[in-house]
Amino acid sequence: MTDAPTGGASAPQLVRHALTDVWRTVRRADLAIAYCSVVLVVAAVLWFLPEGTRDQVLEDTSTNLANLRDRPISVLLASAFVISSAGEVLLVLQLLVVLAYAQRFVGRLGALAVGFMGHVGATVFTAMVLTTGIFHGFVNPGVARVDDVGVSYVMATVMGFLTVVVPRRWRWWWIAFVVVYWVGPGFLARSFTAVGHTTALVIGLTVAFVAGRTRQAAGWAGDIPGR
């Protein structure tokens, strides 16, 4: 996704070049900065609220089955701006970089569309799986009220989508990495969020595939060198 330095560059030079490219990409990504800033501000506000109030906010903004049935639109939007723990701040910082590169290559509207598509699509599909599981007795009905908020579905989708701009020689390595990163933990945790992460990643990879085929049909050759 970056223009590699020419010649036989050393490892420190490659790292320095990569970090420079990340910084240049992030500082120009106003959409990514705005979105992640709002998420961090909301997290900071929740951190200083009484524990009972914080739990109530998480419950009200969760995309669990009960909330999706009662007020689907509001929780789908709100849940994408709320994280459930301080540890997820690191995930938000990672999302800032990932979303910045998406904005760099496909613009604000494209990055927004991909992220929103993944968040909504993964949430709805997970809800369908859980509803089916509860109906057939495979899933505990208590799952219908379990909190489910965060930015992970957005990030998984965007990481999958960025496959289209990864140089061909690294593309399969990138796909293997994102699959291990998002799908691997699901096999260990066996939680319903694993279904959402897998779905979000599949959505991102599918959009990347369609974008790649569209690019070929339009006669664009080679890898995308930049925005």
Side-chain angles (χ1 to χ4, degrees):
M1 284 182 281
T2 66
D3 299 325
T6 58
S10 63
Q13 289 176 320
L14 291 174
V15 171
R16 186 163 53 249
H17 172 78
L19 292 177
T20 300
D21 190 78
V22 168
W23 169 244
R24 184 172 63 246
T25 300
V26 168
R27 72 179 182 179
R28 296 175 179 174
D30 51 356
L31 173 67
I33 293 173
Y35 173 55
C36 292
S37 296
V38 172
V39 173
L40 292 176
V41 169
V42 171
V45 171
L46 290 177
W47 180 262
F48 289 103
L49 290 177
E51 184 176 355
T53 305
R54 182 167 62 248
D55 292 342
Q56 187 62 51
V57 171
L58 292 177
E59 181 180 339
D60 291 343
T61 57
S62 171
T63 52
N64 56 38
L65 297 182
N67 287 346
L68 284 174
R69 181 181 62 247
D70 296 337
R71 48 186 191 282
I73 303 301
S74 62
V75 294
L76 278 171
L77 293 175
S79 62
F81 292 89
V82 179
I83 56 178
S84 59
S85 66
E88 291 186 50
V89 169
L90 180 60
L91 187 66
V92 177
L93 297 179
Q94 295 176 52
L95 174 63
L96 173 61
V97 176
V98 171
L99 198 56
Y101 273 100
Q103 183 177 337
R104 169 179 168 180
F105 289 111
V106 297
R108 298 185 190 90
L109 185 59
L112 180 64
V114 171
F116 183 77
M117 186 189 310
H119 177 70
V120 173
T123 300
V124 171
F125 182 79
T126 302
M128 292 170 57
V129 171
L130 293 178
T131 301
T132 302
I134 292 174
F135 179 80
H136 290 286
F138 301 138
V139 177
N140 188 327
V143 170
R145 293 192 175 276
V146 172
D147 291 343
D148 185 20
V149 296
V151 299
S152 58
Y153 292 170
V154 175
M155 182 172 169
T157 305
V158 176
M159 287 181 70
F161 170 72
L162 285 177
T163 301
V164 74
V165 298
V166 173
R168 287 192 179 93
R169 64 182 181 278
W170 301 110
R171 198 162 291 164
W172 286 108
W173 289 103
W174 172 256
I175 293 175
F177 167 71
V178 295
V179 168
V180 170
Y181 187 91
W182 289 110
V183 181
F187 285 105
L188 300 177
R190 296 185 179 276
S191 64
F192 71 89
T193 54
V195 177
H197 291 157
T198 303
T199 304
L201 180 58
V202 170
I203 291 173
L205 291 172
T206 302
V207 177
F209 174 77
V210 173
R213 301 292 284 187
T214 302
R215 186 177 67 186
Q216 291 178 2
W220 299 345
D223 302 307
I224 298 177
R227 183 172 175 179

PDB file of all heavy atoms in Angstrom, residues 22-49:
ATOM      1  N   VAL A  22       2.611   5.943   7.160  1.00  0.00           N
ATOM      2  CA  VAL A  22       1.439   5.865   8.043  1.00  0.00           C
ATOM      3  C   VAL A  22       1.085   7.250   8.574  1.00  0.00           C
ATOM      4  O   VAL A  22      -0.082   7.662   8.568  1.00  0.00           O
ATOM      5  CB  VAL A  22       1.703   4.898   9.217  1.00  0.00           C
ATOM      6  CG1 VAL A  22       0.623   5.038  10.285  1.00  0.00           C
ATOM      7  CG2 VAL A  22       1.770   3.462   8.719  1.00  0.00           C
ATOM      8  N   TRP A  23       2.102   7.977   9.043  1.00  0.00           N
ATOM      9  CA  TRP A  23       1.853   9.322   9.586  1.00  0.00           C
ATOM     10  C   TRP A  23       1.294  10.253   8.516  1.00  0.00           C
ATOM     11  O   TRP A  23       0.333  10.993   8.766  1.00  0.00           O
ATOM     12  CB  TRP A  23       3.149   9.897  10.154  1.00  0.00           C
ATOM     13  CG  TRP A  23       3.067  11.354  10.493  1.00  0.00           C
ATOM     14  CD1 TRP A  23       3.765  12.374   9.925  1.00  0.00           C
ATOM     15  CD2 TRP A  23       2.228  11.960  11.488  1.00  0.00           C
ATOM     16  NE1 TRP A  23       3.416  13.578  10.474  1.00  0.00           N
ATOM     17  CE2 TRP A  23       2.480  13.358  11.444  1.00  0.00           C
ATOM     18  CE3 TRP A  23       1.302  11.468  12.389  1.00  0.00           C
ATOM     19  CZ2 TRP A  23       1.821  14.247  12.280  1.00  0.00           C
ATOM     20  CZ3 TRP A  23       0.648  12.370  13.225  1.00  0.00           C
ATOM     21  CH2 TRP A  23       0.917  13.739  13.176  1.00  0.00           C
ATOM     22  N   ARG A  24       1.851  10.190   7.318  1.00  0.00           N
ATOM     23  CA  ARG A  24       1.371  11.052   6.234  1.00  0.00           C
ATOM     24  C   ARG A  24      -0.071  10.705   5.865  1.00  0.00           C
ATOM     25  O   ARG A  24      -0.883  11.596   5.587  1.00  0.00           O
ATOM     26  CB  ARG A  24       2.283  10.884   5.010  1.00  0.00           C
ATOM     27  CG  ARG A  24       1.928  11.825   3.851  1.00  0.00           C
ATOM     28  CD  ARG A  24       2.960  11.779   2.749  1.00  0.00           C
ATOM     29  NE  ARG A  24       3.039  10.468   2.133  1.00  0.00           N
ATOM     30  CZ  ARG A  24       4.099   9.666   2.216  1.00  0.00           C
ATOM     31  NH1 ARG A  24       5.173  10.048   2.908  1.00  0.00           N
ATOM     32  NH2 ARG A  24       4.101   8.500   1.618  1.00  0.00           N
ATOM     33  N   THR A  25      -0.393   9.426   5.890  1.00  0.00           N
ATOM     34  CA  THR A  25      -1.747   8.986   5.544  1.00  0.00           C
ATOM     35  C   THR A  25      -2.750   9.386   6.613  1.00  0.00           C
ATOM     36  O   THR A  25      -3.835   9.897   6.306  1.00  0.00           O
ATOM     37  CB  THR A  25      -1.771   7.465   5.338  1.00  0.00           C
ATOM     38  OG1 THR A  25      -0.874   7.107   4.280  1.00  0.00           O
ATOM     39  CG2 THR A  25      -3.176   6.988   4.988  1.00  0.00           C
ATOM     40  N   VAL A  26      -2.392   9.172   7.876  1.00  0.00           N
ATOM     41  CA  VAL A  26      -3.326   9.442   8.976  1.00  0.00           C
ATOM     42  C   VAL A  26      -3.621  10.933   9.099  1.00  0.00           C
ATOM     43  O   VAL A  26      -4.773  11.333   9.281  1.00  0.00           O
ATOM     44  CB  VAL A  26      -2.773   8.882  10.305  1.00  0.00           C
ATOM     45  CG1 VAL A  26      -3.579   9.398  11.493  1.00  0.00           C
ATOM     46  CG2 VAL A  26      -2.785   7.364  10.283  1.00  0.00           C
ATOM     47  N   ARG A  27      -2.591  11.768   9.007  1.00  0.00           N
ATOM     48  CA  ARG A  27      -2.813  13.198   9.229  1.00  0.00           C
ATOM     49  C   ARG A  27      -3.674  13.835   8.145  1.00  0.00           C
ATOM     50  O   ARG A  27      -4.239  14.920   8.360  1.00  0.00           O
ATOM     51  CB  ARG A  27      -1.469  13.911   9.331  1.00  0.00           C
ATOM     52  CG  ARG A  27      -0.707  14.048   8.042  1.00  0.00           C
ATOM     53  CD  ARG A  27       0.596  14.802   8.246  1.00  0.00           C
ATOM     54  NE  ARG A  27       1.317  14.985   6.993  1.00  0.00           N
ATOM     55  CZ  ARG A  27       2.480  15.640   6.899  1.00  0.00           C
ATOM     56  NH1 ARG A  27       3.014  16.177   7.983  1.00  0.00           N
ATOM     57  NH2 ARG A  27       3.065  15.769   5.736  1.00  0.00           N
ATOM     58  N   ARG A  28      -3.810  13.179   7.000  1.00  0.00           N
ATOM     59  CA  ARG A  28      -4.655  13.704   5.928  1.00  0.00           C
ATOM     60  C   ARG A  28      -6.062  13.103   5.938  1.00  0.00           C
ATOM     61  O   ARG A  28      -6.912  13.530   5.158  1.00  0.00           O
ATOM     62  CB  ARG A  28      -4.007  13.408   4.569  1.00  0.00           C
ATOM     63  CG  ARG A  28      -2.672  14.114   4.356  1.00  0.00           C
ATOM     64  CD  ARG A  28      -2.036  13.679   3.057  1.00  0.00           C
ATOM     65  NE  ARG A  28      -0.764  14.360   2.809  1.00  0.00           N
ATOM     66  CZ  ARG A  28       0.057  14.072   1.800  1.00  0.00           C
ATOM     67  NH1 ARG A  28      -0.276  13.110   0.935  1.00  0.00           N
ATOM     68  NH2 ARG A  28       1.195  14.725   1.650  1.00  0.00           N
ATOM     69  N   ALA A  29      -6.294  12.128   6.814  1.00  0.00           N
ATOM     70  CA  ALA A  29      -7.565  11.402   6.816  1.00  0.00           C
ATOM     71  C   ALA A  29      -8.532  12.058   7.802  1.00  0.00           C
ATOM     72  O   ALA A  29      -8.694  11.603   8.935  1.00  0.00           O
ATOM     73  CB  ALA A  29      -7.328   9.942   7.169  1.00  0.00           C
ATOM     74  N   ASP A  30      -9.184  13.113   7.376  1.00  0.00           N
ATOM     75  CA  ASP A  30     -10.067  13.842   8.281  1.00  0.00           C
ATOM     76  C   ASP A  30     -11.251  13.010   8.753  1.00  0.00           C
ATOM     77  O   ASP A  30     -11.662  13.086   9.916  1.00  0.00           O
ATOM     78  CB  ASP A  30     -10.559  15.136   7.625  1.00  0.00           C
ATOM     79  CG  ASP A  30     -11.142  14.907   6.230  1.00  0.00           C
ATOM     80  OD1 ASP A  30     -11.103  13.762   5.738  1.00  0.00           O
ATOM     81  OD2 ASP A  30     -11.632  15.887   5.628  1.00  0.00           O
ATOM     82  N   LEU A  31     -11.812  12.175   7.869  1.00  0.00           N
ATOM     83  CA  LEU A  31     -12.937  11.327   8.261  1.00  0.00           C
ATOM     84  C   LEU A  31     -12.513  10.333   9.334  1.00  0.00           C
ATOM     85  O   LEU A  31     -13.201  10.167  10.351  1.00  0.00           O
ATOM     86  CB  LEU A  31     -13.481  10.575   7.044  1.00  0.00           C
ATOM     87  CG  LEU A  31     -14.550   9.514   7.358  1.00  0.00           C
ATOM     88  CD1 LEU A  31     -15.810  10.182   7.880  1.00  0.00           C
ATOM     89  CD2 LEU A  31     -14.857   8.662   6.128  1.00  0.00           C
ATOM     90  N   ALA A  32     -11.391   9.666   9.124  1.00  0.00           N
ATOM     91  CA  ALA A  32     -10.900   8.679  10.089  1.00  0.00           C
ATOM     92  C   ALA A  32     -10.603   9.339  11.431  1.00  0.00           C
ATOM     93  O   ALA A  32     -10.944   8.797  12.490  1.00  0.00           O
ATOM     94  CB  ALA A  32      -9.647   7.996   9.544  1.00  0.00           C
ATOM     95  N   ILE A  33      -9.980  10.510  11.390  1.00  0.00           N
ATOM     96  CA  ILE A  33      -9.649  11.230  12.627  1.00  0.00           C
ATOM     97  C   ILE A  33     -10.923  11.641  13.357  1.00  0.00           C
ATOM     98  O   ILE A  33     -11.034  11.489  14.577  1.00  0.00           O
ATOM     99  CB  ILE A  33      -8.778  12.460  12.315  1.00  0.00           C
ATOM    100  CG1 ILE A  33      -7.405  12.020  11.808  1.00  0.00           C
ATOM    101  CG2 ILE A  33      -8.632  13.345  13.543  1.00  0.00           C
ATOM    102  CD1 ILE A  33      -6.528  13.156  11.313  1.00  0.00           C
ATOM    103  N   ALA A  34     -11.904  12.152  12.612  1.00  0.00           N
ATOM    104  CA  ALA A  34     -13.149  12.599  13.232  1.00  0.00           C
ATOM    105  C   ALA A  34     -13.893  11.441  13.876  1.00  0.00           C
ATOM    106  O   ALA A  34     -14.343  11.537  15.031  1.00  0.00           O
ATOM    107  CB  ALA A  34     -14.032  13.285  12.191  1.00  0.00           C
ATOM    108  N   TYR A  35     -14.023  10.354  13.160  1.00  0.00           N
ATOM    109  CA  TYR A  35     -14.756   9.199  13.685  1.00  0.00           C
ATOM    110  C   TYR A  35     -14.091   8.629  14.932  1.00  0.00           C
ATOM    111  O   TYR A  35     -14.737   8.432  15.969  1.00  0.00           O
ATOM    112  CB  TYR A  35     -14.868   8.128  12.603  1.00  0.00           C
ATOM    113  CG  TYR A  35     -15.464   6.826  13.099  1.00  0.00           C
ATOM    114  CD1 TYR A  35     -16.708   6.800  13.735  1.00  0.00           C
ATOM    115  CD2 TYR A  35     -14.788   5.620  12.932  1.00  0.00           C
ATOM    116  CE1 TYR A  35     -17.257   5.612  14.179  1.00  0.00           C
ATOM    117  CE2 TYR A  35     -15.328   4.431  13.380  1.00  0.00           C
ATOM    118  CZ  TYR A  35     -16.565   4.428  14.005  1.00  0.00           C
ATOM    119  OH  TYR A  35     -17.097   3.254  14.462  1.00  0.00           O
ATOM    120  N   CYS A  36     -12.794   8.372  14.844  1.00  0.00           N
ATOM    121  CA  CYS A  36     -12.085   7.786  15.983  1.00  0.00           C
ATOM    122  C   CYS A  36     -12.030   8.753  17.165  1.00  0.00           C
ATOM    123  O   CYS A  36     -12.055   8.319  18.325  1.00  0.00           O
ATOM    124  CB  CYS A  36     -10.677   7.369  15.560  1.00  0.00           C
ATOM    125  SG  CYS A  36     -10.655   5.990  14.387  1.00  0.00           S
ATOM    126  N   SER A  37     -11.983  10.052  16.898  1.00  0.00           N
ATOM    127  CA  SER A  37     -11.983  11.039  17.976  1.00  0.00           C
ATOM    128  C   SER A  37     -13.302  11.002  18.740  1.00  0.00           C
ATOM    129  O   SER A  37     -13.331  11.060  19.972  1.00  0.00           O
ATOM    130  CB  SER A  37     -11.738  12.441  17.423  1.00  0.00           C
ATOM    131  OG  SER A  37     -10.449  12.540  16.850  1.00  0.00           O
ATOM    132  N   VAL A  38     -14.404  10.901  18.005  1.00  0.00           N
ATOM    133  CA  VAL A  38     -15.718  10.819  18.655  1.00  0.00           C
ATOM    134  C   VAL A  38     -15.796   9.562  19.524  1.00  0.00           C
ATOM    135  O   VAL A  38     -16.289   9.599  20.658  1.00  0.00           O
ATOM    136  CB  VAL A  38     -16.847  10.822  17.612  1.00  0.00           C
ATOM    137  CG1 VAL A  38     -18.196  10.531  18.265  1.00  0.00           C
ATOM    138  CG2 VAL A  38     -16.895  12.162  16.886  1.00  0.00           C
ATOM    139  N   VAL A  39     -15.313   8.447  19.007  1.00  0.00           N
ATOM    140  CA  VAL A  39     -15.331   7.197  19.768  1.00  0.00           C
ATOM    141  C   VAL A  39     -14.524   7.336  21.055  1.00  0.00           C
ATOM    142  O   VAL A  39     -14.959   6.907  22.134  1.00  0.00           O
ATOM    143  CB  VAL A  39     -14.784   6.030  18.921  1.00  0.00           C
ATOM    144  CG1 VAL A  39     -14.652   4.767  19.776  1.00  0.00           C
ATOM    145  CG2 VAL A  39     -15.683   5.755  17.726  1.00  0.00           C
ATOM    146  N   LEU A  40     -13.356   7.964  20.966  1.00  0.00           N
ATOM    147  CA  LEU A  40     -12.511   8.135  22.150  1.00  0.00           C
ATOM    148  C   LEU A  40     -13.128   9.115  23.150  1.00  0.00           C
ATOM    149  O   LEU A  40     -13.020   8.913  24.363  1.00  0.00           O
ATOM    150  CB  LEU A  40     -11.117   8.611  21.729  1.00  0.00           C
ATOM    151  CG  LEU A  40     -10.283   7.589  20.952  1.00  0.00           C
ATOM    152  CD1 LEU A  40      -8.954   8.204  20.512  1.00  0.00           C
ATOM    153  CD2 LEU A  40     -10.023   6.339  21.791  1.00  0.00           C
ATOM    154  N   VAL A  41     -13.768  10.166  22.658  1.00  0.00           N
ATOM    155  CA  VAL A  41     -14.434  11.116  23.549  1.00  0.00           C
ATOM    156  C   VAL A  41     -15.577  10.434  24.290  1.00  0.00           C
ATOM    157  O   VAL A  41     -15.749  10.599  25.509  1.00  0.00           O
ATOM    158  CB  VAL A  41     -14.951  12.341  22.761  1.00  0.00           C
ATOM    159  CG1 VAL A  41     -15.876  13.182  23.626  1.00  0.00           C
ATOM    160  CG2 VAL A  41     -13.779  13.186  22.276  1.00  0.00           C
ATOM    161  N   VAL A  42     -16.374   9.658  23.570  1.00  0.00           N
ATOM    162  CA  VAL A  42     -17.466   8.913  24.201  1.00  0.00           C
ATOM    163  C   VAL A  42     -16.914   7.947  25.248  1.00  0.00           C
ATOM    164  O   VAL A  42     -17.468   7.820  26.352  1.00  0.00           O
ATOM    165  CB  VAL A  42     -18.283   8.145  23.140  1.00  0.00           C
ATOM    166  CG1 VAL A  42     -19.285   7.205  23.817  1.00  0.00           C
ATOM    167  CG2 VAL A  42     -19.002   9.109  22.217  1.00  0.00           C
ATOM    168  N   ALA A  43     -15.808   7.277  24.929  1.00  0.00           N
ATOM    169  CA  ALA A  43     -15.192   6.347  25.875  1.00  0.00           C
ATOM    170  C   ALA A  43     -14.723   7.071  27.131  1.00  0.00           C
ATOM    171  O   ALA A  43     -14.875   6.569  28.252  1.00  0.00           O
ATOM    172  CB  ALA A  43     -14.022   5.628  25.205  1.00  0.00           C
ATOM    173  N   ALA A  44     -14.141   8.263  26.944  1.00  0.00           N
ATOM    174  CA  ALA A  44     -13.667   9.037  28.090  1.00  0.00           C
ATOM    175  C   ALA A  44     -14.831   9.480  28.982  1.00  0.00           C
ATOM    176  O   ALA A  44     -14.742   9.428  30.210  1.00  0.00           O
ATOM    177  CB  ALA A  44     -12.882  10.256  27.600  1.00  0.00           C
ATOM    178  N   VAL A  45     -15.921   9.901  28.354  1.00  0.00           N
ATOM    179  CA  VAL A  45     -17.094  10.314  29.128  1.00  0.00           C
ATOM    180  C   VAL A  45     -17.649   9.132  29.923  1.00  0.00           C
ATOM    181  O   VAL A  45     -17.961   9.252  31.114  1.00  0.00           O
ATOM    182  CB  VAL A  45     -18.171  10.896  28.196  1.00  0.00           C
ATOM    183  CG1 VAL A  45     -19.471  11.129  28.962  1.00  0.00           C
ATOM    184  CG2 VAL A  45     -17.683  12.202  27.573  1.00  0.00           C
ATOM    185  N   LEU A  46     -17.755   7.987  29.268  1.00  0.00           N
ATOM    186  CA  LEU A  46     -18.277   6.795  29.950  1.00  0.00           C
ATOM    187  C   LEU A  46     -17.377   6.376  31.101  1.00  0.00           C
ATOM    188  O   LEU A  46     -17.854   5.877  32.132  1.00  0.00           O
ATOM    189  CB  LEU A  46     -18.422   5.638  28.952  1.00  0.00           C
ATOM    190  CG  LEU A  46     -19.533   5.764  27.903  1.00  0.00           C
ATOM    191  CD1 LEU A  46     -19.501   4.579  26.954  1.00  0.00           C
ATOM    192  CD2 LEU A  46     -20.890   5.854  28.578  1.00  0.00           C
ATOM    193  N   TRP A  47     -16.078   6.572  30.933  1.00  0.00           N
ATOM    194  CA  TRP A  47     -15.118   6.161  31.965  1.00  0.00           C
ATOM    195  C   TRP A  47     -15.362   6.895  33.282  1.00  0.00           C
ATOM    196  O   TRP A  47     -15.161   6.332  34.361  1.00  0.00           O
ATOM    197  CB  TRP A  47     -13.706   6.424  31.456  1.00  0.00           C
ATOM    198  CG  TRP A  47     -12.629   6.025  32.440  1.00  0.00           C
ATOM    199  CD1 TRP A  47     -11.969   6.839  33.309  1.00  0.00           C
ATOM    200  CD2 TRP A  47     -12.113   4.714  32.659  1.00  0.00           C
ATOM    201  NE1 TRP A  47     -11.062   6.135  34.052  1.00  0.00           N
ATOM    202  CE2 TRP A  47     -11.125   4.820  33.677  1.00  0.00           C
ATOM    203  CE3 TRP A  47     -12.378   3.466  32.093  1.00  0.00           C
ATOM    204  CZ2 TRP A  47     -10.414   3.721  34.134  1.00  0.00           C
ATOM    205  CZ3 TRP A  47     -11.661   2.364  32.552  1.00  0.00           C
ATOM    206  CH2 TRP A  47     -10.702   2.500  33.553  1.00  0.00           C
ATOM    207  N   PHE A  48     -15.795   8.162  33.188  1.00  0.00           N
ATOM    208  CA  PHE A  48     -15.991   8.980  34.391  1.00  0.00           C
ATOM    209  C   PHE A  48     -17.424   8.907  34.934  1.00  0.00           C
ATOM    210  O   PHE A  48     -17.720   9.506  35.968  1.00  0.00           O
ATOM    211  CB  PHE A  48     -15.622  10.432  34.107  1.00  0.00           C
ATOM    212  CG  PHE A  48     -14.143  10.648  33.934  1.00  0.00           C
ATOM    213  CD1 PHE A  48     -13.594  10.809  32.673  1.00  0.00           C
ATOM    214  CD2 PHE A  48     -13.302  10.662  35.042  1.00  0.00           C
ATOM    215  CE1 PHE A  48     -12.223  11.001  32.511  1.00  0.00           C
ATOM    216  CE2 PHE A  48     -11.930  10.851  34.888  1.00  0.00           C
ATOM    217  CZ  PHE A  48     -11.388  11.014  33.630  1.00  0.00           C
ATOM    218  N   LEU A  49     -18.278   8.188  34.256  1.00  0.00           N
ATOM    219  CA  LEU A  49     -19.632   8.011  34.757  1.00  0.00           C
ATOM    220  C   LEU A  49     -19.670   6.942  35.845  1.00  0.00           C
ATOM    221  O   LEU A  49     -18.815   6.052  35.866  1.00  0.00           O
ATOM    222  CB  LEU A  49     -20.572   7.604  33.616  1.00  0.00           C
ATOM    223  CG  LEU A  49     -20.889   8.657  32.550  1.00  0.00           C
ATOM    224  CD1 LEU A  49     -21.770   8.049  31.465  1.00  0.00           C
ATOM    225  CD2 LEU A  49     -21.571   9.872  33.168  1.00  0.00           C
TER     226      LEU A  49
END
